[in-house]
Amino acid sequence: MFAIRYQQIPLQFLFEHQATLAGLGKIGLRSLKKTKAASVDWQSLAPINEVIDAPSQDLIEHYIQWSGAEPGKYQDSIPSHMVSQWGLSFATRLLLQTHYPLSKVINQGVSLKIHGMIPRTEKLMIQAKIAQVDERNGLARVSVQITTGTIAEPELVEAVLHMAFILPHFEKTKRSETSDTKLWQTLGEWSTRSDDGLKFALLTGDFNPIHWITPLAKLSNFGQKVLHGFGVFARSFELLPQPIQQIDVRFLKPVKLPSEHNQVETCTEQEQKYLRVVGSAGQICLMGQYS
């Protein structure tokens, strides 16, 4: 069980997120200028293949502590879910070449295939591409694949970031509720502080204001600050039985800041393992499966 705790995140970590911050700046400029990017066939966009430095040891340690991982679990490696720290900048570079309104992006979930542990002390080989686009009912659902490895082992972790963009002709429809007859068991729970959005931003570079600036968050559809979807994923991942080879989750409802007693629950049906996160008000925040 994660208790509410205090952890100071050094501001100098900002210097490790320069690529991500530059991408967010470009998104902001496009939004202010209200200019539309030219429509481009996503299948014609060239993949990005680059070698980058791994995050600093200090940043990795702070990220591990924030996620609630067991001591010593990642002594020589980087958590697979830390892909958000470098993956966001690559995804942004690809999406800036499309005509989608990036300021209206909705993070819908993430899938991971873990083939091996990412070493801390080697340069990272990153392969990024837009894997799929599906435009329906006023939404553009986009999947960006980020493969992380080393020069010797280039495919250690395959991550797919699932996003949606609201198009001009979007009409909101009420989601049909389905009954859940699964027998869920609680693995544990975790809580958040009011400043966890800022902390996760300092750890990953995702400075969307809805996570850390109260006045702007109150103007959003959520009405208050909410935790990053990847933050919900990271803390929940660390409560699951290890090792995990594959996991696929969807972000359904936000975890508000602060919040207590966010429960991580699992069940097994016909050899398939399911998980969900139930928020403090009983809402289902995350749903998925893993193996």
Side-chain angles (χ1 to χ4, degrees):
M1 179 185 300
F2 295 139
I4 294 179
R5 61 199 171 178
Y6 182 77
Q7 178 191 8
Q8 185 69 42
I9 307 295
L11 290 175
Q12 62 259 32
F13 287 160
L14 284 169
F15 294 105
E16 298 200 41
H17 310 310
Q18 293 183 47
T20 299
L21 294 174
L24 294 176
K26 291 178 181 179
I27 293 173
L29 286 174
R30 179 193 284 190
S31 178
L32 288 173
K33 291 179 179 179
K34 297 181 179 180
T35 56
K36 294 184 179 180
S39 181
V40 177
D41 179 7
W42 65 272
Q43 293 176 314
S44 68
L45 296 179
I48 301 174
N49 297 280
E50 288 186 9
V51 176
I52 64 173
D53 291 328
S56 69
Q57 297 284 348
D58 198 20
L59 176 57
I60 296 170
E61 285 297 334
H62 277 82
Y63 180 92
I64 289 171
Q65 182 183 349
W66 185 90
S67 69
E70 295 180 2
K73 178 180 177 181
Y74 298 108
Q75 187 171 359
D76 301 312
S77 61
I78 303 173
S80 58
H81 47 74
M82 197 177 176
V83 65
S84 61
Q85 194 275 330
W86 57 85
L88 179 59
S89 65
F90 284 92
T92 300
R93 285 167 57 185
L94 287 167
L95 294 170
L96 279 168
Q97 300 178 64
T98 70
H99 64 284
Y100 297 121
L102 272 65
S103 61
K104 297 181 180 180
V105 64
I106 303 169
N107 292 321
Q108 293 197 308
V110 60
S111 305
L112 291 182
K113 290 183 180 179
I114 305 169
H115 305 296
M117 303 300 289
I118 304 172
R120 289 193 185 196
T121 55
E122 297 183 40
K123 288 184 178 293
L124 302 182
M125 169 74 80
I126 309 299
Q127 304 170 67
K129 66 179 181 180
I130 295 180
Q132 186 176 0
V133 174
D134 180 17
E135 291 190 14
R136 282 184 296 171
N137 303 322
L139 279 180
R141 294 174 174 84
V142 182
S143 298
V144 178
Q145 181 176 314
I146 309 290
T147 303
T148 302
T150 63
I151 296 174
E153 298 180 278
E155 298 182 354
L156 292 173
V157 174
E158 297 176 41
V160 178
L161 314 183
H162 303 288
M163 293 165 279
F165 297 92
I166 300 175
L167 302 177
H169 54 287
F170 172 70
E171 293 184 7
K172 189 173 183 179
T173 57
K174 187 175 181 181
R175 182 183 297 172
S176 59
E177 299 290 336
T178 57
S179 58
D180 187 352
T181 59
K182 296 183 178 67
L183 298 176
W184 294 95
Q185 294 183 328
T186 301
L187 284 181
E189 64 179 43
W190 50 268
S191 300
T192 66
R193 295 171 57 98
S194 178
D195 60 354
D196 269 318
L198 176 58
K199 289 177 179 178
F200 198 72
L202 287 169
L203 291 169
T204 63
D206 185 352
F207 279 89
N208 187 323
I210 65 171
H211 303 304
W212 64 287
I213 302 178
T214 300
L216 294 180
K218 286 183 177 179
L219 296 175
S220 72
N221 292 333
F222 303 125
Q224 70 174 85
K225 293 185 297 184
V226 297
L227 185 59
H228 304 68
F230 251 102
V232 176
F233 176 57
R235 283 197 164 169
S236 303
F237 182 98
E238 292 303 331
L239 284 174
L240 296 175
Q242 306 292 323
I244 291 175
Q245 297 177 320
Q246 187 169 339
I247 185 168
D248 178 66
V249 301
R250 293 296 180 271
F251 308 140
L252 302 181
K253 292 187 178 180
V255 171
K256 296 183 178 181
L257 298 174
S259 64
E260 297 186 12
H261 310 303
N262 301 294
Q263 297 188 18
V264 178
E265 301 179 348
T266 63
C267 77
T268 302
E269 285 190 354
Q270 298 179 347
E271 299 184 359
Q272 179 60 59
K273 299 176 181 177
Y274 298 90
L275 75 147
R276 70 180 186 180
V277 175
V278 182
S280 54
Q283 75 279 22
I284 308 300
C285 301
L286 176 151
M287 180 78 75
Q289 54 190 43
Y290 67 99
S291 59

